[in-house]
């Protein structure tokens, strides 16, 4: 079968490898679409970061080389012994987290924080291939009303949904989102799904602003608009109830800490490439807080799939499909250059 195999920095080869076999408790999936994530870009251009060059992962036993791809949907083609609630022909999306089930985060329901956490497509052969094999507990069924293209977006949309859930907002809340990349878009959909109508999205890139504008979002350009002034005016000086950093730069953290109401959280869902020198005095004086967030659990997957089944998510204008053969030139390089928003890979093309 064809697969995108990662051999290290700037080394991603589309090649023929043997099809994986289905072990006990496992499910084999014919991949329909696999999204390219910011993590994949970091592994290709700056890595290896999460992918281990030689040390096998404790839960998967796997190190480099590895088939990348952790955001995918597909059709079940085979199930292993002991799997009786997933069947050949089922449409599914994968929650790519390996967890130990025994550490404190696992025991308290926060397995996204497992001390030995691993990801399908980073620490095990992933979805940028014609077929992949996953444990049963990573499989979520897609209802008929959710397409396989949409199904490949459940993973990134769940990252955003989990982040939105940590902000303790309700339908009367006002929110401010920094960054209109795929996670910023996902935050906007998630917050709308939670009933919020007062959401501003701050994004300097005109192309990204245009994409989220078309979905119906209200946007601000931090290079031209006085974000703090506009938010103060809109909230009668109270500030927003929640801010989200999906940009990962100092300017967004600083601006968020100015726009937040007292005792309200800044939810950080960004990978910070550089240390910040932001003063935290604004945090202290108003009892604001910064809360980190990573990944999701099955609850977030179920909530996102339900919203998708209700037609809540729209892929128009920000999601495109490319062939596996073009994963580097049409995929990673185009995303790195900021010319594309979200790209899904078709492994059969
Ligand atoms: Zn990802
Ligand atoms: Zn654990």
């Amino acid at each position: 079968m064809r697969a995108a195999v990662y051999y290290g920095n700037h080394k991603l080869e589309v090649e023929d490898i043997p099809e994986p076999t289905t072990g006990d408790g496992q499910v084999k999936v014919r991949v329909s679409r696999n999204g390219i994530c910011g993590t994949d870009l970091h592994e290709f251009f700056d890595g290896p970061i999460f992918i281990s060059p030689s040390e096998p992962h404790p839960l998967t036993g796997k190190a480099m080389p590895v088939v990348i791809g952790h955001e995918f949907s597909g059709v079940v083609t085979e199930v292993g012994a002991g799997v009786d609630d997933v069947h050949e022909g089922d449409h599914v999306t994968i929650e790519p987290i390996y967890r130990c089930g025994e550490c404190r985060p696992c025991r308290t329901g926060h397995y996204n924080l497992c001390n030995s956490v691993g990801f399908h497509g980073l620490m095990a052969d992933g979805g940028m291939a014609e077929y992949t094999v996953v444990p049963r507990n990573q499989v979520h069924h897609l209802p008929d009303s959710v397409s396989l293209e949409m199904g490949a977006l459940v993973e990134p949309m769940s990252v955003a949904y989990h982040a939105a859930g940590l902000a303790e907002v309700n339908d009367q809340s006002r929110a401010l989102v920094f960054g209109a990349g795929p996670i910023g878009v996902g935050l906007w959909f998630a917050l709308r799904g939670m009933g919020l109508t007062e959401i501003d999205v701050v994004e300097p890139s005109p192309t990204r602003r245009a994409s989220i504008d078309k979905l119906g979002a209200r946007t601000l350009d931090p290079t031209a608009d006085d974000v703090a002034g506009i938010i103060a005016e809109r909230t009668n000086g109270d500030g927003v109830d929640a801010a989200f950093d999906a940009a990962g730069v100092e300017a967004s953290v600083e601006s968020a800490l100015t726009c937040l109401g007292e005792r309200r959280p800044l939810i950080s869902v960004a990978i910070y490439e550089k240390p910040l020198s932001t003063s935290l005095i604004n945090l202290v004086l108003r009892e604001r807080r910064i809360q980190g967030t990573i990944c999701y659990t099955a609850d977030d997957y179920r909530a996102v799939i339900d919203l998708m089944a209700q037609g809540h998510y729209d892929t128009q204008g920000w999601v495109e499909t490319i062939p596996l053969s073009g994963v580097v030139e049409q995929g990673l390089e185009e995303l790195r250059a900021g010319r594309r928003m979200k790209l899904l890979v078709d492994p059969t093309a």
Side-chain angles (χ1 to χ4, degrees):
M1 66 167 188
R2 304 289 284 166
V5 185
Y6 178 85
Y7 288 94
N9 194 294
H10 282 86
K11 284 191 218 112
L12 185 69
E13 307 291 341
V14 176
E15 57 187 28
D16 274 308
I17 61 167
E19 254 181 62
T21 52
T22 317
D24 291 356
Q26 293 182 324
V27 175
K28 183 169 174 178
V29 177
R30 187 173 65 236
V31 179
S32 167
R33 293 286 185 275
N34 184 108
I36 303 178
C37 172
T39 308
D40 301 321
L41 295 189
H42 283 300
E43 292 296 340
F44 183 78
F45 291 103
D46 317 313
I49 299 167
F50 292 107
I51 295 173
S52 167
S54 56
E55 185 75 17
H57 188 269
L59 298 180
T60 65
K62 183 80 182 162
M64 223 165 70
V66 68
V67 177
I68 61 163
H70 59 271
E71 303 181 356
F72 63 98
S73 61
V75 180
V76 173
T77 59
E78 195 180 13
V79 299
V83 178
D84 49 18
D85 53 354
V86 177
H87 304 96
E88 193 184 331
D90 288 356
H91 285 204
V92 296
T93 185
I94 304 306
E95 184 196 336
I97 298 186
Y98 290 89
R99 57 271 200 178
C100 78
E102 287 159 18
C103 67
R104 187 175 66 184
C106 279
R107 289 196 318 272
T108 51
H110 307 293
Y111 63 77
N112 55 319
L113 309 176
C114 172
N115 294 341
S116 322
V117 73
F119 293 93
H120 197 73
L122 291 169
M123 295 87 165
D125 284 334
M128 230 176 267
E130 289 178 73
Y131 294 91
T132 191
V133 165
V134 297
R136 165 64 188 96
N137 69 0
Q138 294 187 359
V139 176
H140 290 260
H141 283 102
L142 290 174
D144 292 342
S145 54
V146 177
S147 69
L148 287 165
E149 181 202 29
M150 189 68 87
L153 295 169
V154 174
E155 199 268 358
M157 295 302 97
S158 294
V159 170
Y161 193 90
H162 187 75
L166 289 171
E168 296 160 7
V169 288
N170 59 48
D171 59 4
Q172 298 304 308
S173 303
R174 292 167 177 270
L176 188 56
V177 175
F178 290 84
I183 298 300
V185 170
L187 281 165
W188 184 78
F189 277 122
L191 292 164
R192 300 266 299 183
M194 292 171 181
L196 279 77
T197 53
E198 288 297 315
I199 308 164
D200 287 283
V201 181
V202 182
E203 170 60 60
S205 151
T207 32
R208 290 195 158 189
R209 263 201 325 276
S211 295
I212 198 165
D213 266 342
K214 268 189 224 129
L215 297 170
R218 201 164 67 193
T219 55
L220 296 171
D221 173 4
T223 65
D225 297 321
D226 168 19
V227 174
I230 291 167
I231 294 300
E233 199 179 294
R234 283 205 182 127
T235 60
N236 297 319
D238 288 341
V240 293
D241 300 298
F244 298 87
D245 182 19
V249 292
E250 187 157 310
S252 54
V253 173
E254 218 140 80
S255 180
L257 289 180
T258 319
C259 297
L260 270 175
E262 75 283 0
R263 314 196 76 231
R264 300 306 306 170
L266 164 61
I267 308 293
S268 176
V269 58
I271 300 297
Y272 297 89
E273 283 173 5
K274 295 184 199 133
L276 311 186
S277 63
T278 311
S279 160
L280 293 183
I281 192 67
N282 266 331
L283 186 91
V284 173
L285 295 179
R286 307 294 293 158
E287 291 193 353
R288 293 164 173 142
R289 54 207 153 88
I290 301 177
Q291 157 98 57
T293 174
I294 186 90
C295 295
Y296 36 70
T297 67
D299 291 341
D300 301 300
Y301 259 60
R302 282 188 283 268
V304 168
I305 292 168
D306 276 356
L307 283 172
M308 284 179 175
Q310 294 164 33
H312 180 73
Y313 286 85
D314 186 350
T315 59
Q316 278 295 321
W318 67 284
V319 182
E320 297 168 86
T321 294
I322 61 162
L324 178 63
S325 55
V327 64
V328 175
E329 294 80 11
Q330 291 166 258
L332 298 167
E333 286 172 4
E334 284 290 294
L335 288 165
R336 186 71 158 192
R339 286 191 289 266
R340 296 283 181 272
M341 276 282 276
K342 188 73 193 177
L343 294 176
L344 307 181
V345 171
D346 176 355
T348 66

